[in-house]
Structure formats: C-alpha cells, structure tokens
Amino acid sequence: MIKESQGDRLLKGVMYVILTLFAIYCVTPFLSVISSSLTSEGSILRDGYSIIPRAFTLDAYKLIFKDATIYRAYGVTVFVTIVGTALAMLVTCALAYPLSIRTLKYRNGINFYVYFTMLFHGGLVANYLLISKYLGMRDSIWVLIIPALISPWNMFLMRNFFKSVDESLAESAKIDGANDLYIFFKIVLPISLPALATVGLFYAMGFWNKWFEAMLFISDEHKFPLQYLIMRIMNNAEFANQLSSQISLPNYVVPTLTTRLATTVVTIGPIIFLYPFLQKYFVKGLMVGAVKG
C-alpha cells in the first residue's frame, strides 16, 4: 500500500472543501425554490426569496391540488414516461444494433435517411394532419408516446456504443449456434447498461416533460399530462391575479409566484429520484457516442 504524503493529503483536503462548497452552491437554489413555495405571496413580494420560509403557507399547493385532476394527470404522465421510455428504448436499440453491424446491406443509406430527419422536419401543419387525420390518434394517450419512439440523436448514440462492442463476442456466439435475437438480448444489451441508462434517462426526461402534443391533440381533460395541466393552472392563476388587481380585492393576493415555484417542486420531484438509481451507469455512459463511426 502506497503511503500518501503530506502534500497529497493537503491537496485532497482542499479538493474536498472545494467540492463541498460547490455542492452547497448547486443545492442552494433548489432549497430556495422549496422554501419560497411554502411562503406567502405577499412575503415574497415584500421581502424577496429566502432559504427559510418567512410566512409559512400552503396556499400554492392547495391551489394545485384542489381537485382530483392533478392526480389523474400524475397517473397519465407516469404511464407515458414508463411505457414510452420502455418502448422507445426497444425500438431505438432494435434500429441502432443492425446499423452498427458493418456487413448490413444499405447501412449507409439507412443511416443517411435517419440523419436527414435531424436536419429537416415536415412542419407543424403536416405533423398535425398526419397524426390527427391519417393516424387517428387525436384525443388518445398514445399521441404522447408513438410519435416520439425514436430520437435520431439517441439512436446514433446507441449505434456508436454498439459499434464499440467487440465483434468477436457475436462471432463466437454464432459459431455456437446463437441467432441474432439471442445475441442482441443475451450478449449485447447486458454489456450496454451504461448506454441504456444514459439514453433511457434522456427519453424519460422527454416523456415526463411532454405538454405541447397535449395542447395540440388532446381536449379530454382526463388525458391531460402533468406538465400541460400545470401550465393551465399557472395561466389561470395569472389571469386571476390580473382580475383581482382590476377589481381591487382588499387584502388578497393570488399566489402567482408561489404557484410557479410549487409547480417546479411538484413536476421535478418524482423524476429526480431516477438519478440515484442510474448514477453508477450514467457516469460510465457519459462517453456514449465518443467512438468514431
């Protein structure tokens, strides 16, 4: 065992102090958001934001959770996130793995076709007509999932990671009689956990934050995702605040600012718990896509 010198211990201590201060600096804004969401609107307007609530109140959270709609929206968003991420990873890996094999016929043409979609988009009108008229997915929860099953960027990340896997593993498995599906599910995917965790986190964040598609294609409030419902609540609070200022309601301030802060806590709270479970894979997956191809 190599004994550390006094200079090494001093340097390590300084690095620990710097990292601790940096961690506190990163956590402070989030603590301020939580604290301010529990503070009265008047106190924020008068004294500003703080780490500790000056005038504790739950008005913002009462406004958000005043009816059962928010709970249904949570269920919709959780369903979309889990099912959408699982299907997106399956479809993305099913496309990325064949494109990582050098012997695949027309591989370059398919790669260019996928890459072309990153540069040019059909447009909002064409997208709306395709989904609502021809695919018939209007007012369907699947409109939040199916159009986003493949992200070209994520597909190329997975393809580059699959290309870094030693081809001798697949060749030796084929000699033993394994088919391509067995090689894909039993050999390639288990050793690709860093890439799967990283790309899966990207997909999960995308599905969790969906609201634009709901605004375009969903009119049934029972199918509203969380983000879109939160946006409607914030707009209603802003309108109520403007109305109260016009008719001069005495001693009443609509919690507009605190509602925005409370929605931040409500929306990012569940998704942030994914990081501790994916951290060990996510750190390794930071190099996904670094392999040339």
Side-chain angles (χ1 to χ4, degrees):
M1 183 176 179
I2 301 176
K3 185 177 180 180
E4 292 185 350
S5 63
Q6 184 176 358
D8 293 337
R9 291 195 296 269
L10 178 61
L11 179 60
K12 184 182 294 186
V14 172
M15 294 301 298
Y16 281 146
V17 171
I18 293 175
L19 292 176
T20 301
L21 294 176
F22 181 73
I24 295 175
Y25 176 78
C26 294
V27 171
T28 299
F30 184 67
L31 296 178
S32 178
V33 168
I34 297 177
S35 173
S36 299
S37 67
L38 299 171
T39 305
S40 66
E41 186 82 4
S43 177
I44 292 180
L45 294 175
R46 183 178 60 254
D47 303 322
Y49 302 98
S50 63
I51 300 296
I52 301 176
R54 293 189 177 93
F56 181 83
T57 181
L58 295 175
D59 289 345
Y61 291 95
K62 291 178 181 178
L63 179 63
I64 297 175
F65 294 100
K66 65 180 180 180
D67 54 35
T69 307
I70 188 71
Y71 302 103
R72 288 196 298 267
Y74 250 113
V76 170
T77 298
V78 170
F79 174 82
V80 169
T81 301
I82 295 176
V83 176
T85 302
L87 292 178
M89 290 301 300
L90 179 61
V91 175
T92 300
C93 292
L95 177 61
Y97 178 65
L99 294 179
S100 67
I101 301 176
R102 293 183 174 85
T103 58
L104 178 67
K105 195 174 182 180
Y106 306 121
R107 181 173 70 104
N108 293 332
I110 299 175
N111 278 322
F112 178 76
Y113 178 80
V114 177
Y115 176 71
F116 187 82
T117 62
M118 297 178 61
L119 304 178
F120 300 97
H121 192 266
L124 181 60
V125 176
N127 188 50
Y128 180 83
L129 293 176
L130 174 64
I131 292 176
S132 62
K133 183 177 180 180
Y134 296 101
L135 298 181
M137 289 194 296
R138 185 173 178 83
D139 272 336
S140 171
I141 195 173
W142 294 103
V143 76
L144 304 174
I145 299 176
I146 293 179
L149 284 183
I150 285 189
S151 166
W153 174 262
N154 292 335
M155 194 283 296
F156 282 118
L157 290 180
M158 288 303 306
R159 186 207 64 170
N160 288 351
F161 188 89
F162 288 148
K163 289 177 67 175
S164 67
V165 177
D166 194 349
E167 294 181 356
S168 61
L169 294 176
E171 293 174 356
S172 60
K174 287 183 178 180
I175 294 175
D176 293 335
N179 56 26
D180 291 329
L181 286 178
Y182 183 90
I183 295 172
F184 177 61
F185 285 103
K186 296 296 184 178
I187 298 177
V188 177
L189 289 185
I191 63 177
S192 303
L193 288 180
L196 294 176
T198 303
V199 176
L201 183 61
F202 293 160
Y203 273 122
M205 292 292 294
F207 284 112
W208 181 267
N209 292 320
K210 276 190 173 296
W211 64 270
F212 186 71
E213 292 83 355
M215 183 180 66
L216 289 178
F217 303 108
I218 298 179
S219 57
D220 184 2
E221 66 177 13
H222 293 85
K223 299 177 181 178
F224 286 165
L226 178 64
Q227 306 294 347
Y228 180 60
L229 181 64
I230 289 296
M231 185 186 69
R232 285 167 60 95
I233 293 175
M234 292 174 59
N235 291 337
N236 293 336
E238 184 68 29
F239 176 76
N241 191 27
Q242 295 176 359
L243 184 63
S244 64
S245 63
Q246 293 176 3
I247 62 178
S248 300
L249 292 177
N251 300 324
Y252 181 74
V253 180
V254 179
T256 306
L257 292 176
T258 54
T259 300
R260 293 177 180 176
L261 298 172
T263 55
T264 302
V265 177
V266 169
T267 54
I268 73 174
I271 197 69
I272 204 173
F273 288 107
L274 283 176
Y275 285 97
F277 298 102
L278 300 178
Q279 183 180 9
K280 61 179 180 179
Y281 301 115
F282 186 73
V283 173
K284 297 178 182 178
L286 291 177
M287 295 302 294
V288 171
V291 180
K292 295 182 180 179

